Amino acid sequence: MTTAWIVLIVSGLFETGWAIGLKYSENFTKLVPSILTLASMAVSVFGLSWALKYLPVGTGYAVWTGIGSLFTAILGIVLFGESIAVARLVCLGLIVSGIVGLKVVS
């Protein structure tokens, strides 16, 4: 079960990779970012699929998307100068609490 959680977390990080990659690929018009984005998509979805053999689907999917959303938002702030408004940070904190809560009860 621990391995499934590790794979799920890594898959969530790869989800972040492909979300950021979409920005850099510029609608799949840049070759290298496009290839890296597609590879990240494949690794992310394959890892999620594997982890869901051992974890409840609702929990696994929510944690996967939560990790992807959280780190994509953080990288959006760092890389693209997106808003760092307090309300946005509070919402990111709620995502983190939801991820932790799902892990604790699963």
Side-chain angles (χ1 to χ4, degrees), residues 3-24:
T3 302
W5 279 104
I6 292 168
V7 170
L8 183 66
I9 290 166
V10 170
S11 297
L13 295 174
F14 272 95
E15 183 188 9
T16 300
W18 67 258
I20 296 298
L22 288 172
K23 180 85 168 170
Y24 283 113

Side-chain angles (χ1 to χ4, degrees), residues 40-64:
S40 290
M41 286 177 176
V43 170
S44 178
V45 171
F46 178 78
L48 172 65
S49 174
W50 185 88
L52 291 182
K53 291 191 305 187
Y54 306 99
L55 301 172
V57 68
T59 299
Y61 184 74
V63 169
W64 179 73

Side-chain angles (χ1 to χ4, degrees), residues 32-99:
V32 173
S34 296
I35 290 170
L36 293 173
T37 299
L38 292 170
S40 290
M41 286 177 176
V43 170
S44 178
V45 171
F46 178 78
L48 172 65
S49 174
W50 185 88
L52 291 182
K53 291 191 305 187
Y54 306 99
L55 301 172
V57 68
T59 299
Y61 184 74
V63 169
W64 179 73
T65 58
I67 290 169
S69 299
L70 174 67
F71 285 99
T72 299
I74 291 169
L75 286 176
I77 292 166
V78 172
L79 298 174
F80 307 118
E82 294 178 0
S83 171
I84 196 166
V86 173
R88 188 169 190 204
L89 297 177
V90 168
C91 290
L92 290 174
L94 291 171
I95 291 172
V96 171
S97 66
I99 292 169

